[in-house]
C-alpha cells in the first residue's frame, strides 16, 4: 500500500512540474510575441513626444513622389494612432532639415539584399554630426533610405509597410523575427500587416513609457 501511495505522489509531482513548465513556456512566448524588442540599450535622445520628419528632394522628385509623400504621412500617422491605446509618440512633418529627427531619402538603386529600407543613426545636428549605433549611444536623428525601385509600384501596402518599418528602427525597435503581424517583422519572413501591431505599440511603451 505504501508503495502505491509513494508511486501516486511521484506521478502527481511529475504532472505538477510538467504543468508549471508548460505554463511558464506559454507565458514566455506570449510575452515575446506581445512586445517588439529594442535594438540596444539606447534610444532617440529627445524622446518621441515630438518627432519631426523631413522628406528630401530624392523622394519629392521621384516619379512616385506624391504617392510616396502620402504613404510616409500615413505611416507616421499609423505609429501615432495605432488603435491600441496610449503611447507617447507624436510625429509631424517639418520643412526644416536642421530641426528633423528623421530625414527620409528615396533611392532607385537595386541592392543585393532583402532589405528595402536602410536606417542610419546620428548624434548631433545635420550640420555637424557623428554616426553612432544603438549599441553605443543615444542618437539625435536618423537617415532613412527607401529603395523605391525594389518595391512593386502597384502595391502601396508593402511600400507603406517598409516606411513604417524604417520608422520603427528610428525609435529603436529591432526586427521582430517571431511575429508576422508585427510591422517590424524582418524582410526575410512573410509579413501580413502594413502598419504597427499591438507588439509594436507595446515596444514603444516599453522603451519610452
Amino acid at each position: 500500500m505504501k508503495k502505491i501511495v509513494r508511486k501516486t505522489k511521484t506521478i502527481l509531482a511529475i504532472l505538477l512540474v510538467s504543468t508549471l513548465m508548460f505554463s511558464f513556456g506559454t507565458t514566455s512566448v506570449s510575452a515575446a510575441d506581445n512586445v517588439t524588442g529594442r535594438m540596444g540599450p539606447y534610444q532617440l535622445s529627445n524622446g518621441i513626444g515630438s518627432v519631426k520628419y523631413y522628406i528630401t528632394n530624392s523622394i519629392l522628385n521621384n516619379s512616385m513622389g506624391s504617392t510616396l509623400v502620402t504613404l510616409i504621412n500615413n505611416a507616421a500617422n499609423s505609429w501615432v494612432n495605432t488603435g491600441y491605446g496610449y503611447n507617447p509618440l507624436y510625429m509631424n512633418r517639418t520643412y526644416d532639415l536642421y530641426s528633423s529627427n528623421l530625414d527620409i531619402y528615396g533611392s532607385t538603386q537595386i541592392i543585393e539584399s532583402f532589405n528595402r529600407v536602410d536606417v542610419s543613426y546620428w548624434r548631433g545636428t545635420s550640420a555637424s554630426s557623428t554616426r553612432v549605433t544603438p549599441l553605443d549611444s543615444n542618437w539625435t536623428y536618423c537617415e532613412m533610405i527607401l529603395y523605391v525601385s525594389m518595391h512593386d509600384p502597384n502595391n502601396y501596402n508593402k511600400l507603406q509597410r517598409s516606411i513604417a518599418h524604417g520608422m520603427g528602427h528610428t525609435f529603436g525597435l529591432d526586427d521582430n523575427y517571431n511575429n508576422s503581424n508585427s510591422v517590424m517583422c524582418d524582410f526575410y519572413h512573410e509579413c501580413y500587416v502594413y502598419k504597427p501591431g499591438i507588439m509594436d505599440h507595446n515596444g514603444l511603451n516599453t522603451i519610452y513609457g
Side-chain angles (χ1 to χ4, degrees):
M1 182 66 179
K2 288 182 179 180
K3 288 183 179 180
I4 294 174
V5 171
R6 190 179 299 119
K7 186 174 181 180
T8 302
K9 287 182 177 179
T10 301
I11 292 172
L12 288 173
I14 291 171
L15 288 172
L16 178 61
V17 170
S18 299
T19 301
L20 288 173
M21 289 178 67
F22 177 77
S23 299
F24 177 78
T26 302
T27 302
S28 299
V29 170
S30 296
D33 282 348
N34 287 331
V35 178
T36 304
R38 64 195 302 172
M39 298 191 73
Y42 298 100
Q43 60 195 54
L44 198 59
S45 56
N46 293 326
I48 58 173
S50 180
V51 176
K52 299 177 181 179
Y53 60 93
Y54 179 83
I55 301 175
T56 67
N57 285 336
S58 57
I59 290 286
L60 298 177
N61 295 334
N62 188 279
S63 59
M64 294 183 62
S66 60
T67 297
L68 293 175
V69 170
T70 297
L71 294 176
I72 290 169
N73 293 335
N74 287 348
N77 185 63
S78 72
W79 274 109
V80 174
N81 303 295
T82 62
Y84 297 104
Y86 170 80
N87 70 55
L89 174 65
Y90 180 75
M91 296 184 75
N92 66 290
R93 180 180 177 182
T94 180
Y95 294 86
D96 176 15
L97 175 63
Y98 298 107
S99 69
S100 173
N101 306 110
L102 173 60
D103 307 337
I104 305 175
Y105 296 84
S107 174
T108 56
Q109 182 182 7
I110 303 294
I111 60 174
E112 293 182 2
S113 170
F114 281 97
N115 293 337
R116 292 170 174 81
V117 64
D118 184 51
V119 176
S120 56
Y121 301 79
W122 301 83
R123 185 177 65 244
T125 66
S126 295
S128 177
S129 58
T130 302
R131 187 167 180 170
V132 298
T133 75
L135 298 176
D136 299 327
S137 171
N138 285 345
W139 55 95
T140 312
Y141 75 98
C142 287
E143 293 179 350
M144 182 171 82
I145 301 175
L146 177 66
Y147 294 100
V148 181
S149 298
M150 293 181 65
H151 291 81
D152 179 351
N154 299 311
N155 193 327
Y156 293 169
N157 281 350
K158 284 194 174 181
L159 261 168
Q160 183 176 320
R161 180 254 170 162
S162 291
I163 296 164
H165 183 97
M167 288 177 174
H169 283 318
T170 298
F171 311 138
L173 297 175
D174 202 353
D175 287 329
N176 189 337
Y177 297 96
N178 299 316
N179 200 317
S180 295
N181 292 310
S182 165
V183 80
M184 298 309 298
C185 178
D186 70 304
F187 290 102
Y188 292 91
H189 295 82
E190 186 68 26
C191 184
Y192 302 136
V193 297
Y194 62 95
K195 57 185 179 179
I198 188 170
M199 67 295 300
D200 307 308
H201 171 90
N202 290 344
L204 289 183
N205 283 312
T206 297
I207 299 176
Y208 298 97

